């Protein structure tokens, strides 16, 4: 007996197999007694408010963007899920929020269960790093909409913070210091430009050796998740503001964490610019000003603290395994000023 839905390109049986394969990955992220099972129409999460006087829920959503093209090139899909989680949880960290749960959405031309399982394995790993639960998700098989063997992935997270403990950028003053935490690489931003540079220079990232890997593998390095280290800092230091350095680099993101009338002077020699950015600047003929307005340049997150809190903040971050640096100061001139 023919199956008209399968004839149209949607394999329901493959969907069932995908669900079966991803169950073990999802189970590893469980942090509370679960009230729901995979296949339910909604994800249920028991909210624990012990010690929180004024609970504020903080939400964030994002995708991975054209970095996915490098996953397609290498046919490696596990790390891309970490990127998806990172882009969401790092954003809500800027409000001081502890991530609670995460949901994913995977849309693809054809449901290959092993590929879906590999993607979800990465998402689960990202959730473990972020200390949150993978509560549910959706896989959509959309034949004729996506190119063969391609897909998109997006995520949504919810966190919680006590209102009294949220960073408040209105407390920032001239002379406060900016601390930068190292990135793991390009993270998940600027890849449309990366791909254009490689295309214009006729560089094959699959066969171009870069450091200890191919260029493609270097570019696929997953986005760093800062949850564990940042929550530790937030417990001990009165952080005034936090910025996640994503698309738009320093020039777009740091000003979002500053009050009107103030800016930041950045010492570009205070931290190592990663080799991948030096490579992209050289191959693309890009000036340093442009690079800092597009990429993270080796700094994935910035914090504004009082001058007297710099030493302790750096000590906490280093004890958590982060590479962190004092990279600048707050000045009475709006914008970002590179020195």
């Amino acid at each position: 007996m023919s199956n008209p839905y399968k004839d149209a390109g949607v394999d329901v049986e493959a969907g069932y197999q995908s669900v079966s394969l991803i169950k073990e990955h999802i189970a590893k992220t469980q942090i509370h007694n679960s009230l729901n099972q995979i296949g339910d129409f909604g994800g249920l999460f028991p909210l624990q408010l012990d010690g929180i006087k004024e609970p504020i829920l903080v939400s964030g959503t994002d995708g991975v963007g054209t970095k996915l093209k490098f996953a397609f090139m290498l046919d490696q899909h596990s790390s891309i899920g970490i990127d998806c989680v990172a882009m969401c949880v790092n954003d809500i960290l800027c409000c001081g929020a502890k991530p609670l749960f995460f949901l994913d959405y995977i849309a693809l031309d054809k449901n290959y269960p092993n590929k879906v399982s590999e993607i979800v394995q990465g998402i689960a790993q990202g959730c473990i790093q972020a200390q949150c639960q993978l509560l549910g998700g959706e896989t959509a098989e959309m034949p004729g909409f996506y190119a063969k063997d391609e897909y998109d992935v997006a995520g949504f997270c919810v966190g919680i913070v006590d209102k009294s403990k949220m960073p408040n950028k209105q407390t920032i003053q001239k002379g406060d210091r900016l601390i930068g935490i190292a990135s793991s690489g390009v993270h998940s931003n600027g890849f449309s430009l990366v791909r254009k540079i490689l295309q214009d220079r006729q560089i094959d990232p699959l066969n171009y050796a870069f450091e200890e890997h191919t260029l493609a593998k270097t570019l696929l390095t997953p986005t760093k998740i800062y949850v564990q280290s940042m929550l530790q800092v937030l417990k001990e230091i009165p952080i005034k503001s936090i910025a996640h350095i994503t698309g738009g680099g320093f020039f777009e993101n740091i000003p979002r964490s500053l009050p009107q009338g103030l800016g930041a002077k950045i010492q570009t020699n205070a931290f190592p610019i990663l080799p991948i950015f030096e490579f992209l600047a050289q191959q693309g003929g890009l000036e340093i000003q442009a690079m800092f307005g597009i990429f993270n340049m080796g700094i994935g997150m910035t914090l504004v603290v009082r001058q007297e809190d710099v030493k302790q903040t750096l000590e906490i971050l280093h004890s958590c395994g982060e590479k962190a640096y004092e990279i600048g100061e707050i000045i009475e001139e709006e914008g970002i000023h590179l020195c």
Side-chain angles (χ1 to χ4, degrees):
M1 185 175 183
S2 66
N3 184 327
Y5 206 15
K6 189 170 184 178
D7 292 343
V10 178
D11 190 342
V12 175
E13 293 299 323
Y16 297 152
Q17 187 180 351
S18 294
V19 170
S20 177
L21 289 173
I22 67 178
K23 281 183 178 180
E24 62 175 299
H25 305 312
I26 296 173
K28 291 175 183 177
T29 73
Q30 186 170 320
I31 56 178
H32 296 304
N33 292 327
S34 182
L35 299 176
N36 63 296
Q37 297 179 352
I38 298 174
D40 289 350
F41 286 97
L44 308 178
F45 188 87
L47 197 57
Q48 298 180 348
L49 301 177
D50 296 344
I52 301 178
K53 295 179 180 179
E54 294 183 88
I56 303 292
L57 293 179
V58 183
S59 61
T61 186
D62 210 339
V64 180
T66 59
K67 183 175 185 176
L68 288 168
K69 289 287 189 180
F70 292 93
F72 305 155
M73 281 183 200
L74 289 166
D75 194 24
Q76 294 179 8
H77 311 282
S78 59
S79 67
I80 219 72
I82 299 175
D83 285 295
C84 190
V85 176
M87 296 305 294
C88 297
V89 298
N90 286 345
D91 271 357
I92 69 168
L93 271 175
C94 296
C95 298
K98 171 182 170 54
L100 295 175
F101 59 83
F102 185 87
L103 296 109
D104 65 74
Y105 174 78
I106 303 168
L108 64 176
D109 77 302
K110 183 174 177 57
N111 192 329
Y112 296 102
N114 288 333
K115 180 183 288 187
V116 171
S117 176
E118 192 177 347
I119 298 167
V120 175
Q121 181 183 10
I123 293 170
Q125 180 57 43
C127 287
I128 291 168
Q129 292 181 28
Q131 300 176 327
C132 68
Q133 185 167 336
L134 178 52
L135 199 59
E138 175 71 13
T139 302
E141 189 172 14
M142 301 166 65
F145 191 84
Y146 289 95
K148 185 177 183 297
D149 295 328
E150 294 195 355
Y151 59 85
D152 197 9
V153 58
F156 168 83
C157 70
V158 171
I160 192 167
V161 62
D162 196 325
K163 185 178 180 181
S164 65
K165 297 179 180 178
M166 293 177 64
N168 181 2
K169 67 181 181 182
Q170 299 306 326
T171 64
I172 296 175
Q173 300 176 342
K174 175 186 175 182
D176 285 337
R177 295 303 196 257
L178 202 67
I179 288 176
I181 311 176
S183 69
S184 56
V186 183
H187 282 187
S188 299
N189 304 102
F191 274 87
S192 294
L193 176 58
V194 170
R195 291 169 50 238
K196 183 179 186 302
I197 290 170
L198 300 185
Q199 183 178 1
D200 289 348
R201 299 289 291 177
Q202 297 185 326
I203 295 171
D204 177 4
L206 287 173
N207 296 305
Y208 191 100
F210 190 83
E211 295 189 302
E212 299 177 0
H213 308 290
T214 63
L215 182 57
K217 190 168 184 179
T218 298
L219 290 167
L220 201 57
T221 301
T223 305
K224 190 166 184 56
I225 292 174
Y226 297 99
V227 171
Q228 296 186 42
S229 55
M230 281 302 304
L231 291 180
Q232 191 60 42
V233 174
L234 285 161
K235 282 181 184 177
E236 303 183 43
I237 303 294
I239 294 178
K240 296 190 175 189
S241 76
I242 305 170
H244 182 200
I245 311 302
T246 56
F250 282 52
F251 289 101
E252 180 176 328
N253 293 290
I254 295 177
R256 293 166 62 187
S257 69
L258 303 177
Q260 189 174 357
L262 295 180
K265 182 165 65 175
I266 307 293
Q267 300 290 341
T268 58
N269 62 354
F271 60 94
I273 293 176
L274 298 180
I276 187 64
F277 297 114
E278 295 174 342
F279 170 82
L280 291 170
Q282 180 184 24
Q283 296 295 331
L286 299 172
E287 299 293 336
I288 189 168
Q289 198 85 2
M291 291 293 293
F292 272 85
I294 299 167
F295 299 108
N296 69 62
M297 300 303 287
I299 297 294
M301 187 159 277
T302 61
L303 329 174
V304 177
V305 299
R306 299 176 304 178
Q307 184 176 1
E308 56 264 39
D309 290 326
V310 169
K311 183 173 182 293
Q312 186 182 358
T313 303
L314 291 173
E315 287 174 352
I316 295 169
L317 288 168
H318 294 157
S319 71
C320 293
E322 302 285 6
K323 295 177 182 177
Y325 317 89
E326 182 181 350
I327 66 169
E329 65 177 314
I330 304 303
I331 60 174
E332 290 182 326
E333 185 179 352
E334 289 188 347
I336 300 303
H337 307 271
L338 304 180
C339 303

